[in-house]
């Protein structure tokens, strides 16, 4: 529960100005609610190893939720968009690093911080389409406060680029199959 109405308002992410186009772009990849895939699971595992975090996710943000296309160290398959750290990254259209969620007024009353999984550290790099639309993030999460090094940031950015390259290849392949 929120300590005050102001805190609750700050906790919820803004909607991007290009939200309708962003959602249309997300739909064009046709990946929501698909089964886990080894190549994406390898990327989340690499992110967790490189950042030394217990959790890493490929999170896609649709209208009302964030859905985890790949997850390492977390059982949940999705959460509400209104409590999503990734939705904040999309709204700001930038990498989001939260060194201590309990000390950040946007997140201190968030149920993902106060309850399981007990997020304290979050680093999320945007998954951007060639048109510059953010579909979600590749993120690394820890249950303790910490800093993100420059090398870890670069690693997460490189891995996010690989996620998008795989998504683009999948989309192009599907278009080719549809044309035959």
């Amino acid at each position: 529960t929120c300590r005050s109405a102001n805190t609750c308002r700050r906790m919820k992410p803004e909607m991007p100005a290009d939200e309708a186009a962003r959602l249309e772009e997300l739909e064009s990849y046709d990946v929501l609610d698909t089964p886990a895939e080894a190549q994406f699971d390898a990327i989340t595992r690499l992110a967790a190893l490189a950042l030394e975090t217990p959790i890493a996710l490929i999170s896609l943000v649709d209208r009302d939720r964030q859905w985890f296309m790949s997850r390492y160290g977390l059982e949940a398959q999705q959460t509400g968009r209104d409590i999503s750290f990734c939705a904040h990254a999309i709204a700001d259209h930038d990498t989001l690093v939260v060194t201590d969620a309990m000390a950040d007024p946007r997140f201190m009353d968030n149920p993902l911080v106060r309850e399981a999984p007990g997020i304290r550290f979050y680093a999320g790099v945007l998954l951007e389409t060639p048109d510059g639309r953010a579909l979600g993030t590749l993120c690394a999460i820890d249950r303790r406060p910490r800093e993100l090094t420059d090398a870890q940031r670069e690693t997460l950015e490189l891995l996010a680029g690989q996620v998008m390259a795989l998504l683009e290849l999948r989309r192009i392949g599907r278009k080719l199959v549809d044309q035959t």
Side-chain angles (χ1 to χ4, degrees):
T1 63
C2 296
R3 293 182 189 152
S4 72
N6 288 339
T7 304
C8 282
R9 272 195 291 277
R10 273 184 261 143
M11 183 176 72
K12 292 182 181 174
E14 302 278 324
M15 285 290 177
D18 68 343
E19 182 63 2
R22 191 192 72 76
L23 289 171
E24 187 175 316
E25 189 88 13
L26 175 60
E27 293 286 326
S28 76
Y29 284 88
D30 197 27
V31 294
L32 292 173
D33 300 310
T34 57
E37 295 182 44
Q39 67 267 31
F40 293 106
D41 290 346
I43 291 172
T44 52
R45 177 75 176 119
L46 281 169
L49 286 170
L51 275 74
E52 299 176 349
T53 60
I55 300 169
L57 307 165
I58 296 173
S59 175
L60 301 177
V61 178
D62 87 23
R63 281 179 181 78
D64 302 313
R65 66 181 174 148
Q66 67 176 345
W67 175 73
F68 306 130
M69 181 178 184
S70 176
R71 59 193 194 281
Y72 174 81
L74 186 70
E75 288 300 314
Q77 293 183 333
Q78 64 186 26
T79 67
R81 182 177 179 158
D82 61 331
I83 60 172
S84 165
F85 281 61
C86 299
H88 282 273
I90 287 173
D92 295 341
H93 205 84
D94 201 3
T95 295
L96 176 63
V97 178
V98 178
T99 57
D100 185 353
M102 289 294 286
D104 189 317
R106 295 171 297 178
F107 303 108
M108 61 179 31
D109 288 317
N110 187 309
L112 300 174
V113 174
R114 295 257 172 221
E115 302 161 18
I119 297 171
R120 291 295 290 274
F121 168 82
Y122 170 92
V125 173
L126 294 179
L127 299 173
E128 285 188 276
T129 67
D131 294 337
R133 304 231 191 269
L135 305 179
T137 67
L138 172 63
C139 61
I141 295 169
D142 206 336
R143 294 181 181 96
R144 63 180 179 84
R146 50 182 288 188
E147 300 291 326
L148 182 69
T149 69
D150 290 341
Q152 289 171 330
R153 178 186 293 262
E154 183 178 2
T155 300
L156 206 55
E157 289 168 352
L158 290 168
L159 291 172
Q162 292 303 300
V163 171
M164 284 312 302
L166 287 169
L167 286 173
E168 279 298 312
L169 285 172
R170 165 201 289 252
R171 183 162 73 164
I172 291 167
R174 200 176 62 252
K175 283 181 183 176
L176 291 173
V177 167
D178 290 347
Q179 291 174 357
T180 57

